[in-house]
Amino acid sequence: MTIPVLEITNLHKKFGEVEVLKGIDLTMQSGNVVSLIGSSGSGKTTLLRCVNLLEDYEDGVVAVEGEQIGYKQHKGRRIRLKEREIARQRAMTGMAFQHFNLFPHMSAIHNVMLGLIKTRKTPKDEAYAAAEGWLDRVGMKNWKDHYPGQLSGGQQQRVAIARAIAMNPVLMLFDEVTSALDPELVSEVLAVVKDLASDGMTMLLVTHEMQFAHDVSDTVVFMQDGRIGEQGPPEQLFHNPKSERLAAFLKNSKF
Amino acid sequence: MDYDFNFAAVWRDFDILLSGLGLGLVLAVISIAIGCLIGLCLAFAMLSKKRSIRWAATVYVSVFRNTPILVLILFTFFALPEFGINLGKIESFIVTLSVYSGAYLTEVFRSGLVSLPPGLREAGLTVGLTEFRTKILITIPVMFRRVLPALGNNFISLFKDTSLAAVIAVPELTFYARKINVETFRVIETWLVASLMYVIACSIIAAILRRTENRLAIPK
């Protein structure tokens, strides 16, 4: 059996005294597209952020391609990896944020090139060509010399996705990538994500776009109170929810 | 007013005044550069997760920002030798102004850092940069641009503080002006020329800073 791209086992996470993840198990194979849905505070974003250790986790295992993220077991104790190791592991996955988080002092193409040059040690001219290619893929090649402040939200998000994808991650994490966008800009970003999904990219998404989650995912995970409430193929979850909580959530989400 | 203006005595020693101004500029540049390094480190220290580190940085800023610089200059030059630390007058002044500017610049940098969206650091981390490289490549350059106007203000103010070095006989502009004043009794002329030299120097520094600001401005 092949090693799963992502394997989360019994994941626990606390913010102070509040336990926000109460034992999550989730496995993703290569090419899977999994959407996390649920009301705010249910732990979706925290779960996503544990995968690349933007949040530390207290218990359980997050493994990307069989490698535990952030920690190792030593003589039965759990030890945090060195900073450099964690940085390497983070680059195995790519992430797009709700607020894009482009580097404001760099043009679009330099945003995409930075990780290639500094982390992947790609020569500059190769990095430039690759970055240009990815910007073209997200429809932003003509804007490559523009700075983030000169771009619309949708355009910034597409550059941010190109920046993440250019690193050739084994898994892409999308954290509510359309939540901060004006309604008319949502579709251009979703089109890019859909395009990547159809290309076989392994993706874990947190989204409030139910129709999109329905269309793009193999598996939809409904989170409630820090646990997985229900998971399955989109047809089953959206059209045949087992729990009342999910049914109510979908009704409120106007699906 | 019954005063005969006579600038001849001042012009005769104008080159000395100029050399004094030059030394003042050098002292300011070196001290501010060191002060920037101190300020940057302490600004990060103030935002550290560790309480002891935050506390140490706060104590530093409180002590040196709340002591008049004249007192610091005198303490460093006259009191430190009693503890076995003997510094020449120029070194002593550089140490004082660096330490003092470090305290002021810490606050400037700290306010710049807290104004940055937290996502900026996270974005750096997600492309595989370490915390340190994220600071060097992203956090500091962006923060620096934001605080440049406040930084300029501090630079000018700190440059003017070099005039206080005269009290420990560092041969900068004010020191020489006082000397010429005593030797020639041309009180008004001497201090007028010295004042004008400070004004012109500060205006040039301000113009350079404004140009830098414009050149580094992030396009919008």
Side-chain angles (χ1 to χ4, degrees), chain A residues 5-33:
Chain A
V5 172
L6 175 67
E7 191 167 25
I8 298 174
T9 327
N10 193 29
L11 178 65
H12 287 264
K13 161 77 188 167
K14 277 184 191 169
F15 285 120
E17 292 300 303
V18 185
E19 193 169 33
V20 287
L21 297 178
K22 303 168 183 168
I24 302 283
D25 295 284
L26 184 69
T27 303
M28 288 177 68
Q29 301 294 341
S30 178
N32 280 174
V33 176

Side-chain angles (χ1 to χ4, degrees), chain B:
Chain B
M1 195 170 82
D2 207 13
Y3 189 92
D4 290 324
F5 280 92
N6 181 357
F7 283 93
V10 183
W11 291 141
R12 201 172 50 234
D13 288 331
F14 190 66
D15 52 338
I16 301 180
L17 289 178
L18 263 185
S19 76
L21 182 67
L23 179 65
L25 280 170
V26 170
L27 293 177
V29 167
I30 295 175
S31 307
I32 291 170
I34 301 172
C36 275
L37 276 179
I38 296 175
L40 260 183
C41 294
L42 290 182
F44 281 112
M46 280 204 148
L47 302 172
S48 164
K49 280 185 197 142
K50 290 204 179 107
R51 186 203 293 253
S52 56
I53 293 180
R54 285 202 308 270
W55 187 80
T58 309
V59 167
Y60 179 99
V61 172
S62 306
V63 167
F64 292 112
R65 206 171 54 161
N66 296 333
T67 312
I69 178 145
L70 186 55
V71 173
L72 284 178
I73 293 168
L74 295 172
F75 186 89
T76 312
F77 189 64
F78 292 113
L80 283 191
E82 300 294 326
F83 298 97
I85 304 170
N86 282 296
L87 297 170
K89 52 195 177 192
I90 290 188
E91 292 85 347
S92 164
F93 181 75
I94 289 177
V95 167
T96 310
L97 192 60
S98 303
V99 165
Y100 180 75
S101 62
Y104 272 88
L105 298 175
T106 297
E107 274 306 305
V108 173
F109 291 139
R110 191 194 62 82
S111 65
L113 287 175
V114 295
S115 80
L116 298 178
L120 210 53
R121 169 183 153 265
E122 292 178 353
L125 297 179
T126 57
V127 295
L129 299 176
T130 56
E131 292 275 3
F132 181 73
R133 293 181 92 199
T134 302
K135 284 188 177 75
I136 297 290
L137 293 168
I138 294 153
T139 320
I140 293 174
V142 177
M143 175 275 287
F144 192 76
R145 287 166 167 87
R146 289 199 180 189
V147 302
L148 214 52
L151 214 50
N153 253 341
N154 277 280
F155 284 0
I156 289 170
S157 171
L158 290 165
F159 165 63
K160 286 190 298 180
D161 287 341
T162 59
S163 68
L164 292 167
V167 298
I168 54 168
V170 172
E172 48 64 66
L173 177 53
T174 303
F175 174 83
Y176 280 131
R178 202 165 57 170
K179 188 161 171 280
I180 293 169
N181 176 35
V182 170
E183 287 168 0
T184 66
F185 298 107
R186 304 314 312 181
V187 185
I188 297 183
E189 293 87 337
T190 313
W191 293 113
L192 198 63
V193 170
S195 305
L196 277 176
M197 288 173 79
Y198 276 115
V199 169
I200 292 168
C202 287
S203 305
I204 293 172
I205 297 173
I208 293 172
L209 287 167
R210 181 137 328 126
R211 271 192 61 169
T212 313
E213 227 175 276
N214 290 335
R215 212 161 43 88
L216 291 180
I218 296 169
K220 277 198 171 56

